[in-house]
Amino acid sequence: MSTENLPQSPEQPGCEEPIRKPRVAVVFGGRSSEHGISVVTAGAVLRAIDRSVYDVLPIGITADGRWALTADEPDRMAITERRTPSVDELAESTEGDIVLSVHPGNREVVYSEPGSVPKALGEVDVVFPVLHGPYGEDGTLQGLLELAGVPYVGAGVLSSAVGQDKEYMKRIFTSFGLPVGPYVVVRPREWEQDPAAARKKIVDFAGDHGWPVFVKPARAGSSIGITKVDDLSGLDEAIAEAQRHDPKILVEALIRGREIECGVLEFEDGPRASVPAEIPPVQSHEFYDFEAKYIDSASGIVPAPLTEEQTAEVRRLAVAAFEAASCEGLVRADFFLAEDGTFVINEINTMPGFTPISMYPRMWQETGVPYTELVDRLIQAALRRSTGLR
């Protein structure tokens, strides 16, 4: 492939002190089952970044893990005809690779293709990782960027890993005194060595807390792989579906009540919570699953119809969850408002969706931070923050 159209280093030869805009690499796609939603999120973020302030380098990670130079064409990154886009559809080449140095003194990105001389694309000042799920949102990419010494948007290694693994997320929340619903975990070894005992563990849990239960992958997002199980007859099929995405599964009791979400954003003086939103029941779906969320565009109510006291409490709990998991940048915190009037935290998402219908941007829009300002604040916060221990 010709390199004529590749992004060039923004430095201007011949100037004693080259002046250039901060360069943002938007990294998206990835190896998880949330690949397509990550591409959709990237399209919205690319569209929102102010090109008069920043230079942008879109980098897609294919489903098999190749880092590819991609077209900067947000309009091609949308859900069409009920299917999500992929990095392979956007890649400039089927063979070319993007390489990021892991030497902390070198932030230069290089493009290489078989039979061609590697092409320097210039230095990257900050990475905006919009990967969802394992191999990107779980601390793995964050660890690579820490090694490279490149600042990035969002949570660090530990909080990204905690935010991805729902078991340890709940353990940490419990240790900080945050309200968590009943759950049980089945680890891969338990299922492999004695599936009957693992199944009984779930059945006993349902005996204590009642049917239905929700069976879900312990380390996935976007409501992928979740099944509502009404009785024992549907259990094995639900376990198999969850294990398609993660060998470790989480089983949660049904909490009767309302679904409430709240966004947290890190300002110069610390994290603040947005107005909350409510996810009303979707008539055509048993719960707020992937199809309801992304394909059928189920819409939340912003702001949520709560009392002043309830709004203040859920905002307090959202910031407390952010702090408990040592998060940075942003978080969407998901709650149940139980029938007895108490809030139960379900989970946090350290890189929530930024699609046009995503709740996180909508909540901040209603709070007074429009989409373009939200993206800018996240980039600026990352540029202010150093890598390494902090």
Side-chain angles (χ1 to χ4, degrees):
M1 185 187 78
S2 170
T3 60
E4 291 180 2
N5 296 322
L6 294 179
Q8 303 297 309
S9 171
E11 295 183 2
Q12 302 169 7
C15 299
E16 292 184 3
E17 296 183 2
I19 298 174
R20 65 178 180 86
K21 295 175 284 188
R23 184 165 240 208
V24 182
V26 178
V27 181
F28 60 96
R31 294 164 54 191
S32 83
S33 52
E34 298 173 76
H35 177 103
I37 290 302
S38 174
V39 178
V40 176
T41 295
V45 170
L46 286 168
R47 192 177 289 109
I49 294 177
D50 186 347
R51 306 308 172 92
S52 69
V53 177
Y54 304 103
D55 280 313
V56 178
L57 178 65
I59 299 174
I61 301 178
T62 63
D64 61 3
R66 180 174 66 92
W67 288 46
L69 184 68
T70 62
D72 185 5
E73 299 177 9
D75 290 343
R76 294 174 59 194
M77 301 180 184
I79 295 174
T80 55
E81 298 180 350
R82 300 180 70 85
R83 62 177 294 274
T84 56
S86 72
V87 169
D88 284 310
E89 297 168 349
L90 299 162
E92 296 282 0
S93 165
T94 59
E95 295 182 304
D97 287 298
I98 289 286
V99 179
L100 175 67
S101 171
V102 294
H103 190 287
N106 179 12
R107 296 181 180 177
E108 190 164 81
V109 172
V110 174
Y111 177 81
S112 63
E113 193 171 10
S116 301
V117 176
K119 180 74 174 178
L121 303 182
E123 290 192 345
V124 166
D125 297 291
V126 63
V127 169
F128 201 132
V130 293
L131 295 125
H132 300 309
Y135 312 109
E137 191 183 352
D138 59 350
T140 49
L141 176 63
Q142 290 75 14
L144 173 64
L145 297 174
E146 292 285 354
L147 288 174
V150 179
Y152 53 92
V153 169
V157 175
L158 173 65
S159 48
S160 294
V162 167
Q164 190 64 46
D165 192 314
K166 295 176 178 64
E167 175 194 0
Y168 287 98
M169 179 198 306
K170 291 175 185 292
R171 289 180 180 273
I172 286 176
F173 289 160
T174 300
S175 72
F176 276 82
L178 296 173
V180 172
Y183 70 96
V184 67
V185 175
V186 176
R187 302 177 186 280
R189 189 176 299 172
E190 292 181 83
W191 187 256
E192 292 164 5
Q193 294 182 347
D194 193 344
R199 190 181 295 107
K200 183 178 184 300
K201 183 178 182 180
I202 300 173
V203 172
D204 289 345
F205 174 80
D208 291 337
H209 300 285
W211 299 92
V213 297
F214 289 88
V215 178
K216 59 177 64 176
R219 294 163 293 193
S222 296
S223 299
I224 288 175
I226 301 177
T227 305
K228 181 183 178 185
V229 182
D230 293 313
D231 53 45
L232 183 60
S233 65
L235 185 57
D236 282 7
E237 185 178 348
I239 291 171
E241 172 60 21
Q243 288 180 331
R244 286 182 54 234
H245 306 279
D246 187 350
K248 182 167 80 166
I249 66 171
L250 186 79
V251 180
E252 296 176 334
L254 171 68
I255 297 176
R256 299 188 186 279
R258 300 158 62 187
E259 291 191 50
I260 306 295
E261 298 184 349
C262 190
V264 180
L265 178 63
E266 190 172 7
F267 287 73
E268 290 81 357
D269 60 351
R272 303 181 198 171
S274 70
V275 299
E278 179 169 5
I279 309 299
V282 183
Q283 298 303 318
S284 58
H285 297 263
E286 282 201 281
F287 62 97
Y288 194 44
D289 61 4
F290 179 88
E291 291 278 325
K293 189 178 293 186
Y294 295 108
I295 303 301
D296 294 332
S297 302
S299 182
I301 303 169
V302 188
L306 301 171
T307 67
E308 288 186 15
E309 293 76 12
Q310 289 171 331
T311 297
E313 176 64 1
V314 75
R315 295 176 85 169
R316 181 190 73 80
L317 288 171
V319 172
F322 182 96
E323 299 280 31
S326 298
C327 294
E328 296 169 291
L330 72 163
V331 148
R332 193 195 70 231
D334 300 345
F335 298 86
F336 295 110
L337 176 55
E339 291 178 337
D340 64 3
T342 61
F343 283 101
V344 175
I345 185 165
N346 184 35
E347 64 183 54
I348 58 171
N349 193 316
T350 57
M351 184 50 69
F354 273 77
T355 67
I357 61 171
S358 295
M359 296 309 300
Y360 184 84
R362 287 186 58 198
M363 288 186 287
W364 278 108
Q365 174 79 34
E366 189 68 26
T367 310
V369 182
Y371 193 91
T372 53
E373 181 184 339
L374 178 63
V375 170
D376 183 69
R377 280 188 173 276
L378 289 169
I379 294 171
Q380 288 298 320
L383 286 169
R384 290 193 301 270
R385 192 170 68 229
S386 64
T387 54
L389 299 176
R390 52 188 183 274

